[in-house]
Amino acid sequence: MQSQLKPETLAVRGARTQTAYNEHAQALFLSSSFLFDTAEDAQALFLGEKDGYSYSRTANPTVDAFARRMAQLENAENGIATATGMAAVQATFLSFLKAGDHLLASSALFGSNIGLINNLPNFGIEVSYVASHKAEDWQAAIRPNTKMLFVETPSNPTLALFDIHALSKIAHQNNALLAVDNSFLTPAVQQPIALGADLSISSATKGIDGQGRVMGGVICGSNALIEQVFLHTRTAGQSLSPFNAWVLSSGLETLFVRCEKQADNAYQLAQFLQNHPKIQQVNYPFLATHPQYALAQKQQQSGGALIAVYVQGEKQQAWQVVDHLQLFSRTGNLGDVRSMITHPYTTTHARVPDAEKIAANITPNLLRISVGLEHIDDLIADWDRVLEKI
Ligand SMILES: Cc1ncc(COP(=O)(O)O)c(C=O)c1O
């Protein structure tokens, strides 16, 4: 799936499925099943002796085109698309971990990832968390049965970063896989596999769609690893809807220009906020004040569209900001062309125990903002007006 073409070109002209009708845009195959020429043909398809499609839970041409194009952007040999980002994370765990294995995860994670991981012991899989980004702390937490390391980088919602190359070395020295959740940046901004990760996972619901329309997920990796995921998903049924794949494929065509402009807006807004007296702290990877600024410069092509903002005060002040901003939609999604704001303590991380939230710097005065394509002057003016009032 790797190509000499630049990623921007692949995003618009990469893998696609072409029919005999010479359509210019990606065709949408809304068909649950596919016809067999003969009984013998059906047998060959089912045994995998012949390429083709039989049933959309297993594979579908529109879904495949999207997954293959994602793999091209991720610098991976292959990819599998799933119904949601969480389905992609779940399929990754269940494809490679079995009872008795150990998963080592960062504690800086999205609430649903924590919920999913905390459920793995019910299947006999051991889990433990590392509350540090230092390679030596990860090395020290490895157990003889560790089979996978899992991080979000940047993490949701505090934008903590993890050194993908350093963690991949630790994983490989210990015969484990490194899986990276790349949802916050998309492959337009960070390519975990090129940095050494084995698997790159995305919630396509975020920047890949970019317009808040459909759910989706993707797992990319080597042919051998993706084949192992396929053996799981073909029967477990986390398949992406062809309609969603079709929407997401067109999302990819504008991914690079959206990401670039959104990161540009986010950087300017982060600078404004960090100098405002009503703001206690701003975490944005491309601000020189981010504790892992050097790492961000090394492994990311921009700071991304997300900013973590700690307002001066408590929950009350944070909620005032949420309720009074006019150009930031109050919603739980991120990566959209419309700016959005979330109060993680009471929403995305509402079910995480308070002590764990505080330990992970998810405090009541924290806001997560996802910066869109509105004019930066309007976004800054909106914040300026609201901060004046609190
Ligand atoms: C880092 C991260 N991973 C995974 C997911 C899950 O994605 P989805 O909502 O598409 O299931 C999210 C959703 O917010 C996320 O932020």
Side-chain angles (χ1 to χ4, degrees), residues 84-86 110 113 152 156 181 183-184 203 205-206 215-216:
T84 64
M86 290 317 302
F110 170 51
N113 275 337
E152 287 170 14
N156 183 355
D181 184 329
S183 303
F184 257 37
S203 163
T205 319
K206 308 291 175 316
M215 308 288 295

Side-chain angles (χ1 to χ4, degrees), residues 252-319:
L252 285 182
E253 295 174 359
T254 57
L255 181 68
F256 281 84
V257 278
R258 283 187 284 107
C259 285
E260 197 179 322
K261 182 67 184 162
Q262 286 176 244
D264 193 38
N265 276 352
Y267 178 64
Q268 292 188 58
L269 183 60
Q271 276 184 317
F272 166 80
L273 292 172
Q274 96 163 338
N275 292 321
H276 199 287
K278 300 261 179 82
I279 299 295
Q280 187 186 80
Q281 188 186 323
V282 174
N283 292 357
Y284 183 71
F286 267 36
L287 281 183
T289 48
H290 191 290
Q292 294 154 294
Y293 174 68
L295 176 62
Q297 296 282 324
K298 194 175 85 176
Q299 69 183 17
Q300 302 181 193
Q301 281 94 58
S302 79
L306 277 297
I307 313 176
V309 183
Y310 296 81
V311 298
Q312 295 283 9
E314 293 295 327
K315 186 180 96 173
Q316 190 200 348
Q317 284 70 27
W319 274 18

Side-chain angles (χ1 to χ4, degrees), residues 367-382:
L367 294 167
R368 183 190 79 193
I369 47 180
S370 173
V371 182
L373 291 181
E374 300 90 346
H375 196 287
I376 184 60
D377 294 350
D378 293 333
L379 297 178
I380 289 177
D382 202 19

Side-chain angles (χ1 to χ4, degrees), residues 60-290:
N60 170 284
T62 312
V63 177
D64 275 3
F66 167 63
R68 284 187 284 122
R69 197 175 288 194
M70 273 295 296
Q72 289 177 318
L73 300 181
E74 288 276 6
N75 237 302
E77 285 176 348
N78 217 337
I80 281 196
T82 54
T84 64
M86 290 317 302
V89 180
Q90 184 218 43
T92 301
F93 292 158
L94 297 187
S95 299
F96 298 104
L97 299 171
K98 59 181 187 320
D101 290 344
H102 171 235
L103 170 72
L104 189 56
S106 130
S107 59
L109 292 179
F110 170 51
S112 299
N113 275 337
I114 297 173
L116 180 63
I117 291 171
N118 286 346
N119 205 28
L120 292 177
N122 292 337
F123 301 93
I125 298 165
E126 281 175 35
V127 300
S128 65
Y129 293 98
V130 184
S132 156
H133 58 83
K134 293 193 186 126
E136 58 268 31
D137 294 329
W138 282 78
Q139 178 59 56
I142 297 273
R143 299 178 187 172
N145 56 343
T146 303
K147 290 287 159 32
M148 183 181 284
L149 276 57
F150 177 73
V151 291
E152 287 170 14
T153 182
S155 68
N156 183 355
T158 54
L159 295 153
L161 307 186
F162 294 87
D163 186 331
I164 297 173
H165 183 61
L167 288 183
S168 75
K169 284 210 299 209
I170 294 173
H172 299 156
Q173 278 159 7
N174 292 282
N175 293 319
L177 298 172
L178 172 65
V180 173
D181 184 329
N182 200 27
S183 303
F184 257 37
L185 292 180
T186 84
V189 182
Q190 176 173 266
Q191 302 80 37
I193 290 178
L195 294 163
D198 300 285
L199 296 154
S200 179
I201 305 168
S202 298
S203 163
T205 319
K206 308 291 175 316
I208 290 164
D209 175 19
Q211 292 173 63
R213 300 164 295 188
V214 298
M215 308 288 295
V218 195
I219 309 157
C220 292
S222 65
N223 281 327
L225 293 180
I226 294 302
E227 177 62 19
Q228 201 166 329
V229 178
F230 174 66
L231 293 177
H232 169 75
T233 56
R234 62 175 297 169
T235 53
Q238 300 98 328
S239 342
L240 179 64
S241 133
F243 178 77
N244 290 8
W246 181 76
V247 172
L248 293 168
S249 284
S250 69
L252 285 182
E253 295 174 359
T254 57
L255 181 68
F256 281 84
V257 278
R258 283 187 284 107
C259 285
E260 197 179 322
K261 182 67 184 162
Q262 286 176 244
D264 193 38
N265 276 352
Y267 178 64
Q268 292 188 58
L269 183 60
Q271 276 184 317
F272 166 80
L273 292 172
Q274 96 163 338
N275 292 321
H276 199 287
K278 300 261 179 82
I279 299 295
Q280 187 186 80
Q281 188 186 323
V282 174
N283 292 357
Y284 183 71
F286 267 36
L287 281 183
T289 48
H290 191 290

